[in-house]
Amino acid sequence: MSRTIGILGGMGPLATLDLFEKIIRNTDVTKDQDHLPIIIYNNTKIPPRTEAYFEGEERLLPELERSAQLLERAGADFIIMPCNTSHIWIKIIKASVNIPIYSMIENTANYVQKQDSLINSQILLVATTATVNSQIYQRALQSSNNKIIIPDPDEQIIISSMIEHLKAGLTYNNPDLNSFKNILNKYKEIGVFVILGACTEIPILFPLLDKSLVMIDPNLLLAEMAVKIAKGRT
């Protein structure tokens, strides 16, 4: 019998939709009834994570804890969160429920360290300012042979603006897309060919980027992990 996946979503809705679709597309089925049971709480009232990181968590943490508890009461067997930045507080959220919460960060780091093609690679970390500053990915990957490249402050401003526009629903027409492509070209010229889309909105843009780049999608990796857990394969 399959376990029920709980998705603590709404951070933002497009990233939640992206994860849901990737779970569906990565589940082997022949009919509707073969799909996995999934409970999604698309809580759009969760305060901005980057703002909370820099200005105070007082409003954020109760909402994250309440959301996890709601999923537990609704019947989820485990929880995943399609938001990299929210993982800054994953230990606190885990302590608020009695079911497992699996880490997108740890799962992505495990994937990177197992890929022979990524050994000794330079990886550009594309994320929110809070995710970059909290060093959750830098710590998770510190035992690997990879060098994590952090965008400079001006580049980070462009990336942060692009993320906000993605949250507003602007993808193909994102006003920061060309500037972002210029950033990637600059790093490609100095030998950085791997990008880690460490904000769950970033991989939505992957189809629009240079196909010669190696693009790591934590949302896809999280979907694949959730399917295995739900089917009892890990």
Side-chain angles (χ1 to χ4, degrees), residues 5 78-80 101-104 106-108 110 219-231 234:
I5 302 170
F78 65 93
I79 293 171
I80 52 178
I101 300 179
Y102 292 100
S103 169
M104 167 185 276
E106 290 179 7
N107 185 56
T108 303
N110 289 338
N219 232 19
L220 173 60
L221 299 175
L222 186 64
E224 292 172 343
M225 177 181 70
V227 171
K228 290 178 182 177
I229 293 170
K231 289 190 170 186
T234 183

mmCIF file of all heavy atoms in Angstrom, residues 5 78-80 101-104 106-108 110 219-231 234:
data_model
loop_
_atom_site.group_PDB
_atom_site.id
_atom_site.type_symbol
_atom_site.label_atom_id
_atom_site.label_comp_id
_atom_site.label_asym_id
_atom_site.label_seq_id
_atom_site.Cartn_x
_atom_site.Cartn_y
_atom_site.Cartn_z
ATOM 1 N N ILE A 5 1.731 11.250 0.404
ATOM 2 C CA ILE A 5 2.672 12.369 0.386
ATOM 3 C C ILE A 5 1.961 13.637 0.822
ATOM 4 O O ILE A 5 0.873 13.949 0.342
ATOM 5 C CB ILE A 5 3.238 12.575 -1.037
ATOM 6 C CG1 ILE A 5 3.941 11.308 -1.540
ATOM 7 C CG2 ILE A 5 4.185 13.776 -1.074
ATOM 8 C CD1 ILE A 5 4.298 11.359 -3.022
ATOM 9 N N PHE A 78 4.191 11.507 5.311
ATOM 10 C CA PHE A 78 5.427 12.281 5.387
ATOM 11 C C PHE A 78 5.230 13.572 4.622
ATOM 12 O O PHE A 78 4.263 13.722 3.862
ATOM 13 C CB PHE A 78 6.626 11.489 4.843
ATOM 14 C CG PHE A 78 6.563 11.165 3.375
ATOM 15 C CD1 PHE A 78 7.156 11.997 2.437
ATOM 16 C CD2 PHE A 78 5.939 10.003 2.932
ATOM 17 C CE1 PHE A 78 7.099 11.700 1.070
ATOM 18 C CE2 PHE A 78 5.882 9.687 1.575
ATOM 19 C CZ PHE A 78 6.469 10.542 0.646
ATOM 20 N N ILE A 79 6.134 14.522 4.828
ATOM 21 C CA ILE A 79 5.983 15.860 4.252
ATOM 22 C C ILE A 79 7.229 16.234 3.466
ATOM 23 O O ILE A 79 8.358 15.907 3.863
ATOM 24 C CB ILE A 79 5.748 16.909 5.365
ATOM 25 C CG1 ILE A 79 4.392 16.669 6.048
ATOM 26 C CG2 ILE A 79 5.811 18.339 4.825
ATOM 27 C CD1 ILE A 79 4.163 17.515 7.290
ATOM 28 N N ILE A 80 7.010 16.922 2.353
ATOM 29 C CA ILE A 80 8.094 17.552 1.604
ATOM 30 C C ILE A 80 7.707 19.010 1.352
ATOM 31 O O ILE A 80 6.526 19.350 1.303
ATOM 32 C CB ILE A 80 8.382 16.823 0.269
ATOM 33 C CG1 ILE A 80 7.085 16.650 -0.548
ATOM 34 C CG2 ILE A 80 9.053 15.477 0.530
ATOM 35 C CD1 ILE A 80 7.291 15.994 -1.902
ATOM 36 N N ILE A 101 9.698 14.723 7.896
ATOM 37 C CA ILE A 101 9.804 15.765 6.874
ATOM 38 C C ILE A 101 11.152 15.556 6.201
ATOM 39 O O ILE A 101 12.191 15.600 6.869
ATOM 40 C CB ILE A 101 9.710 17.181 7.471
ATOM 41 C CG1 ILE A 101 8.370 17.375 8.187
ATOM 42 C CG2 ILE A 101 9.873 18.231 6.370
ATOM 43 C CD1 ILE A 101 8.210 18.743 8.839
ATOM 44 N N TYR A 102 11.135 15.306 4.910
ATOM 45 C CA TYR A 102 12.363 14.996 4.187
ATOM 46 C C TYR A 102 12.946 16.256 3.561
ATOM 47 O O TYR A 102 12.228 17.091 3.007
ATOM 48 C CB TYR A 102 12.104 13.921 3.135
ATOM 49 C CG TYR A 102 11.794 12.581 3.758
ATOM 50 C CD1 TYR A 102 10.470 12.140 3.876
ATOM 51 C CD2 TYR A 102 12.807 11.777 4.261
ATOM 52 C CE1 TYR A 102 10.179 10.911 4.460
ATOM 53 C CE2 TYR A 102 12.521 10.553 4.854
ATOM 54 C CZ TYR A 102 11.209 10.127 4.950
ATOM 55 O OH TYR A 102 10.925 8.919 5.544
ATOM 56 N N SER A 103 14.258 16.364 3.638
ATOM 57 C CA SER A 103 14.959 17.591 3.246
ATOM 58 C C SER A 103 15.315 17.618 1.768
ATOM 59 O O SER A 103 16.025 16.731 1.273
ATOM 60 C CB SER A 103 16.236 17.751 4.076
ATOM 61 O OG SER A 103 17.041 18.785 3.551
ATOM 62 N N MET A 104 14.856 18.647 1.101
ATOM 63 C CA MET A 104 15.249 18.912 -0.278
ATOM 64 C C MET A 104 16.754 19.180 -0.369
ATOM 65 O O MET A 104 17.408 18.765 -1.335
ATOM 66 C CB MET A 104 14.456 20.114 -0.798
ATOM 67 C CG MET A 104 14.942 20.710 -2.095
ATOM 68 S SD MET A 104 14.007 22.202 -2.513
ATOM 69 C CE MET A 104 12.592 21.488 -3.301
ATOM 70 N N GLU A 106 19.308 18.130 1.675
ATOM 71 C CA GLU A 106 20.096 16.908 1.849
ATOM 72 C C GLU A 106 19.972 16.006 0.637
ATOM 73 O O GLU A 106 20.961 15.391 0.198
ATOM 74 C CB GLU A 106 19.639 16.169 3.109
ATOM 75 C CG GLU A 106 19.996 16.875 4.412
ATOM 76 C CD GLU A 106 19.503 16.108 5.624
ATOM 77 O OE1 GLU A 106 18.995 14.965 5.447
ATOM 78 O OE2 GLU A 106 19.603 16.641 6.739
ATOM 79 N N ASN A 107 18.772 15.904 0.099
ATOM 80 C CA ASN A 107 18.551 15.049 -1.067
ATOM 81 C C ASN A 107 19.349 15.537 -2.271
ATOM 82 O O ASN A 107 19.965 14.737 -2.992
ATOM 83 C CB ASN A 107 17.064 15.023 -1.400
ATOM 84 C CG ASN A 107 16.732 14.064 -2.517
ATOM 85 O OD1 ASN A 107 17.043 12.876 -2.455
ATOM 86 N ND2 ASN A 107 16.087 14.568 -3.564
ATOM 87 N N THR A 108 19.358 16.848 -2.482
ATOM 88 C CA THR A 108 20.117 17.413 -3.602
ATOM 89 C C THR A 108 21.610 17.209 -3.404
ATOM 90 O O THR A 108 22.335 16.846 -4.347
ATOM 91 C CB THR A 108 19.800 18.910 -3.762
ATOM 92 O OG1 THR A 108 18.392 19.071 -3.946
ATOM 93 C CG2 THR A 108 20.545 19.509 -4.948
ATOM 94 N N ASN A 110 23.075 14.857 -1.703
ATOM 95 C CA ASN A 110 23.376 13.435 -1.921
ATOM 96 C C ASN A 110 23.473 13.122 -3.406
ATOM 97 O O ASN A 110 24.360 12.372 -3.843
ATOM 98 C CB ASN A 110 22.292 12.564 -1.279
ATOM 99 C CG ASN A 110 22.355 12.567 0.232
ATOM 100 O OD1 ASN A 110 23.396 12.870 0.809
ATOM 101 N ND2 ASN A 110 21.251 12.253 0.879
ATOM 102 N N ASN A 219 13.768 20.424 -7.245
ATOM 103 C CA ASN A 219 12.351 20.058 -7.230
ATOM 104 C C ASN A 219 12.132 18.707 -7.907
ATOM 105 O O ASN A 219 11.352 17.883 -7.433
ATOM 106 C CB ASN A 219 11.532 21.142 -7.934
ATOM 107 C CG ASN A 219 10.361 21.634 -7.097
ATOM 108 O OD1 ASN A 219 10.339 21.454 -5.877
ATOM 109 N ND2 ASN A 219 9.395 22.273 -7.727
ATOM 110 N N LEU A 220 12.820 18.473 -9.025
ATOM 111 C CA LEU A 220 12.732 17.178 -9.702
ATOM 112 C C LEU A 220 13.303 16.073 -8.818
ATOM 113 O O LEU A 220 12.709 14.993 -8.689
ATOM 114 C CB LEU A 220 13.478 17.225 -11.035
ATOM 115 C CG LEU A 220 13.609 15.900 -11.784
ATOM 116 C CD1 LEU A 220 12.241 15.317 -12.114
ATOM 117 C CD2 LEU A 220 14.440 16.081 -13.055
ATOM 118 N N LEU A 221 14.440 16.339 -8.203
ATOM 119 C CA LEU A 221 15.057 15.341 -7.327
ATOM 120 C C LEU A 221 14.162 15.038 -6.134
ATOM 121 O O LEU A 221 14.065 13.886 -5.693
ATOM 122 C CB LEU A 221 16.425 15.842 -6.853
ATOM 123 C CG LEU A 221 17.455 16.106 -7.950
ATOM 124 C CD1 LEU A 221 18.717 16.720 -7.360
ATOM 125 C CD2 LEU A 221 17.785 14.827 -8.718
ATOM 126 N N LEU A 222 13.487 16.072 -5.607
ATOM 127 C CA LEU A 222 12.568 15.878 -4.488
ATOM 128 C C LEU A 222 11.372 15.028 -4.915
ATOM 129 O O LEU A 222 10.928 14.143 -4.175
ATOM 130 C CB LEU A 222 12.087 17.238 -3.982
ATOM 131 C CG LEU A 222 11.227 17.261 -2.722
ATOM 132 C CD1 LEU A 222 12.007 16.759 -1.518
ATOM 133 C CD2 LEU A 222 10.699 18.672 -2.451
ATOM 134 N N ALA A 223 10.868 15.283 -6.115
ATOM 135 C CA ALA A 223 9.751 14.490 -6.642
ATOM 136 C C ALA A 223 10.140 13.015 -6.773
ATOM 137 O O ALA A 223 9.385 12.118 -6.361
ATOM 138 C CB ALA A 223 9.306 15.042 -7.994
ATOM 139 N N GLU A 224 11.316 12.765 -7.321
ATOM 140 C CA GLU A 224 11.778 11.383 -7.503
ATOM 141 C C GLU A 224 11.946 10.691 -6.156
ATOM 142 O O GLU A 224 11.589 9.516 -5.999
ATOM 143 C CB GLU A 224 13.083 11.386 -8.290
ATOM 144 C CG GLU A 224 12.920 11.833 -9.742
ATOM 145 C CD GLU A 224 14.233 12.025 -10.467
ATOM 146 O OE1 GLU A 224 15.290 12.137 -9.803
ATOM 147 O OE2 GLU A 224 14.222 12.084 -11.710
ATOM 148 N N MET A 225 12.489 11.415 -5.174
ATOM 149 C CA MET A 225 12.653 10.832 -3.840
ATOM 150 C C MET A 225 11.292 10.524 -3.213
ATOM 151 O O MET A 225 11.091 9.463 -2.618
ATOM 152 C CB MET A 225 13.431 11.781 -2.926
ATOM 153 C CG MET A 225 13.572 11.265 -1.494
ATOM 154 S SD MET A 225 14.456 12.398 -0.386
ATOM 155 C CE MET A 225 13.251 13.723 -0.240
ATOM 156 N N ALA A 226 10.345 11.470 -3.345
ATOM 157 C CA ALA A 226 9.022 11.275 -2.740
ATOM 158 C C ALA A 226 8.327 10.049 -3.315
ATOM 159 O O ALA A 226 7.664 9.302 -2.578
ATOM 160 C CB ALA A 226 8.170 12.524 -2.955
ATOM 161 N N VAL A 227 8.461 9.832 -4.618
ATOM 162 C CA VAL A 227 7.856 8.651 -5.238
ATOM 163 C C VAL A 227 8.442 7.376 -4.644
ATOM 164 O O VAL A 227 7.710 6.430 -4.291
ATOM 165 C CB VAL A 227 8.050 8.685 -6.770
ATOM 166 C CG1 VAL A 227 7.636 7.355 -7.404
ATOM 167 C CG2 VAL A 227 7.259 9.837 -7.390
ATOM 168 N N LYS A 228 9.759 7.339 -4.495
ATOM 169 C CA LYS A 228 10.408 6.136 -3.924
ATOM 170 C C LYS A 228 9.953 5.900 -2.490
ATOM 171 O O LYS A 228 9.670 4.752 -2.094
ATOM 172 C CB LYS A 228 11.927 6.308 -3.969
ATOM 173 C CG LYS A 228 12.513 6.249 -5.368
ATOM 174 C CD LYS A 228 14.025 6.472 -5.337
ATOM 175 C CE LYS A 228 14.600 6.473 -6.732
ATOM 176 N NZ LYS A 228 16.067 6.772 -6.724
ATOM 177 N N ILE A 229 9.890 6.960 -1.694
ATOM 178 C CA ILE A 229 9.474 6.803 -0.292
ATOM 179 C C ILE A 229 8.022 6.337 -0.219
ATOM 180 O O ILE A 229 7.675 5.429 0.549
ATOM 181 C CB ILE A 229 9.677 8.124 0.483
ATOM 182 C CG1 ILE A 229 11.163 8.458 0.606
ATOM 183 C CG2 ILE A 229 9.040 8.045 1.867
ATOM 184 C CD1 ILE A 229 11.443 9.843 1.137
ATOM 185 N N ALA A 230 7.165 6.966 -1.021
ATOM 186 C CA ALA A 230 5.757 6.613 -1.002
ATOM 187 C C ALA A 230 5.519 5.170 -1.415
ATOM 188 O O ALA A 230 4.592 4.510 -0.940
ATOM 189 C CB ALA A 230 4.970 7.551 -1.909
ATOM 190 N N LYS A 231 6.381 4.658 -2.283
ATOM 191 C CA LYS A 231 6.240 3.271 -2.737
ATOM 192 C C LYS A 231 7.033 2.291 -1.881
ATOM 193 O O LYS A 231 7.095 1.097 -2.174
ATOM 194 C CB LYS A 231 6.700 3.173 -4.194
ATOM 195 C CG LYS A 231 5.736 3.848 -5.172
ATOM 196 C CD LYS A 231 6.089 3.534 -6.614
ATOM 197 C CE LYS A 231 4.991 4.005 -7.551
ATOM 198 N NZ LYS A 231 5.234 3.604 -8.944
ATOM 199 N N THR A 234 12.648 3.083 -0.360
ATOM 200 C CA THR A 234 13.811 3.605 0.352
ATOM 201 C C THR A 234 13.485 3.784 1.821
ATOM 202 O O THR A 234 12.325 3.745 2.199
ATOM 203 C CB THR A 234 14.232 4.963 -0.253
ATOM 204 O OG1 THR A 234 15.420 5.422 0.408
ATOM 205 C CG2 THR A 234 13.133 6.011 -0.071
#
